[in-house]
Structures are given as C-alpha cells and as structure tokens.
Amino acid sequence: MTKGAVPISLAGSQLGNARHVCAFFNSDDEEYRVLLPFIKDGFMCGDKAIHMVNPTQHDDHLQRLAAVGIDTAAAERTGQFEMRTNTDAYLLDGRFDQHRMLQVFEQLASHKNHDFPLSRIVCRMDWAGERRTYVDELIEFESRVNDLWARHDDTVICTYHLNRFSGDTVIDVMRTHPVVIVGGILQQNPFYVPPEQFLREVRDRRSPRTT
C-alpha cells in the first residue's frame, strides 16, 4: 500500500497498510451480512468491483447486490462492476497455475487498465476445496501474492467457507494473510508469516514426500 492511501472500512474496523484479507464464514448469509456494506461503500466511492463467485451463485449474487441498492447493470455498462466465475478465473484449462494467476492479479490491480481509483476484489475460494493438489498450489499462491498487493492500494478479500476445508488448510490459509475476518470481525492477523519464511516452511514440509 502506498503512503497516504485512504483507509477503507470493513467488518467493524478499518484496513490499513495490509489489504490482503482472508475471511472465514459458515454460510452465504453470514458472508453477505459482513461484506455487503464494504461492497456497497466501494460502489459509492467510485471504486472498481471485481467479484469471483461460484458458477451456481451468479443470480443469487446479483439479487443480493440489488437488495442493497446497487444497480449492477449500470455498473457493468460503465466498467465499474465485473463478475467472473471462480472456476473460469482460477482453473483455466481445468488446472490451477499459480504463476498465471499472479499475472492475472497484477493486471487486475493495474489502474492503467481502468478509470477507477481502486479495485475492491472479492474471491470465493470454494473451488480449491475440491482437490488436495489445488490446495497445495493455492497455499503457495496465497503467500506469494502478498508481495504483489504490497505494491498496490487495492483490497482483495478471499472468502473461505469453513465446511469446505480441513483444519490444516484453514491454518495455512490464515498464515498467508496479514489480515483476517473471523466471527464477522476484521483484525490484524498475529499468525501471519511473511512469504519468504512461509514458502521455506512449505518446501521443508513437503521434502519427505519426495524422498
């Protein structure tokens, strides 16, 4: 985050320098209750909204945005609102490539590509719970992407529904995000581990698998 960036309200607190957030929820209703004020505020501030949702979530997502007064059709016409399916975004050609996704997010964060002051990106991460191989790659990606977001003022929220992931995955996810939402409350994450250290731990952890 650059100096002088305007603080952003989220989940009962304010985002400061760190804006890569993991958010843990138990249901869709809990997720929307916590995030809709942040999403609506972004539209009102003129920020770009990029939402990655489950393939079956499309209509429900638009209805929930409309229920709080967001004209998604108008926002799409101006380029302010962009909705993608998470599987199309993350699983191009049926596989997850963390290096490709780093390039994708670098493009999303580049304000040269649009006329809006900031991007507010919300990503539903359910797709990663389908295969262990996805999770292994995702954990590395979630760590590496911190270096990218440190150069931008944009906010990215990765939402994880707890019933779709194992306990050890939840712990790793938490350790790769400097800010966390738990129980609907935003807080600085005391368990966060910087990328260089975390990736070294991952390599050490996996080394017995290949010996």
Side-chain angles (χ1 to χ4, degrees):
M1 172 179 164
T2 59
K3 293 181 179 179
V6 177
I8 293 177
S9 296
L10 172 63
S13 187
Q14 286 191 323
L15 286 169
N17 291 343
R19 296 187 171 183
H20 181 209
V21 184
C22 63
F24 297 108
F25 299 113
N26 292 299
S27 67
D28 287 352
D29 288 342
E30 180 188 13
E31 177 177 347
Y32 283 104
R33 176 179 58 79
V34 173
L35 296 186
L36 275 175
F38 160 83
I39 291 172
K40 183 176 181 179
D41 178 65
F43 277 94
M44 294 178 65
C45 291
D47 292 340
K48 185 175 179 69
I50 302 170
H51 298 171
M52 300 185 188
V53 302
N54 293 333
T56 59
Q57 194 184 356
H58 181 276
D59 291 345
D60 179 64
H61 188 70
L62 292 179
Q63 290 170 7
R64 289 180 187 260
L65 296 185
V68 295
I70 298 171
D71 187 341
T72 55
E76 284 182 312
R77 287 194 295 271
T78 63
Q80 185 182 16
F81 177 51
E82 183 178 333
M83 185 162 62
R84 308 180 181 185
T85 64
N86 49 17
T87 50
D88 287 344
Y90 287 96
L91 299 178
L92 188 68
D93 299 326
R95 64 187 184 90
F96 176 63
D97 183 336
Q98 60 173 300
H99 303 291
R100 181 187 67 83
M101 283 307 301
L102 286 171
Q103 294 177 349
V104 168
F105 276 100
E106 182 70 69
Q107 293 172 356
L108 293 179
S110 175
H111 298 153
K112 296 178 182 178
N113 297 330
H114 57 71
D115 298 323
F116 306 97
L118 296 175
S119 293
R120 299 192 185 202
I121 305 170
V122 180
C123 305
R124 182 76 171 260
M125 306 303 291
D126 292 352
W127 62 270
E130 296 177 2
R131 296 184 188 176
R132 181 67 220 188
T133 54
Y134 291 164
V135 170
D136 288 345
E137 285 281 309
L138 172 67
I139 294 305
E140 289 191 25
F141 167 75
E142 287 280 39
S143 183
R144 295 181 195 278
V145 80
N146 284 296
D147 291 333
L148 186 158
W149 294 121
R151 304 193 303 270
H152 298 279
D153 296 336
D154 307 282
T155 299
V156 58
I157 303 176
C158 309
T159 72
Y160 289 83
H161 282 221
L162 292 168
N163 63 345
R164 294 180 178 268
F165 297 92
S166 65
D168 61 335
T169 297
V170 169
I171 291 172
D172 276 342
V173 167
M174 183 174 290
R175 296 178 74 220
T176 58
H177 292 75
V179 193
V180 61
I181 296 175
V182 177
I185 302 299
L186 177 78
Q187 50 194 306
Q188 295 299 309
N189 183 6
F191 303 106
Y192 171 66
V193 179
E196 183 177 355
Q197 178 183 344
F198 182 83
L199 293 170
R200 184 169 60 248
E201 290 181 14
V202 168
R203 288 193 295 270
D204 292 344
R205 184 195 310 171
R206 294 177 184 170
S207 59
R209 299 184 189 179
T210 58
T211 57

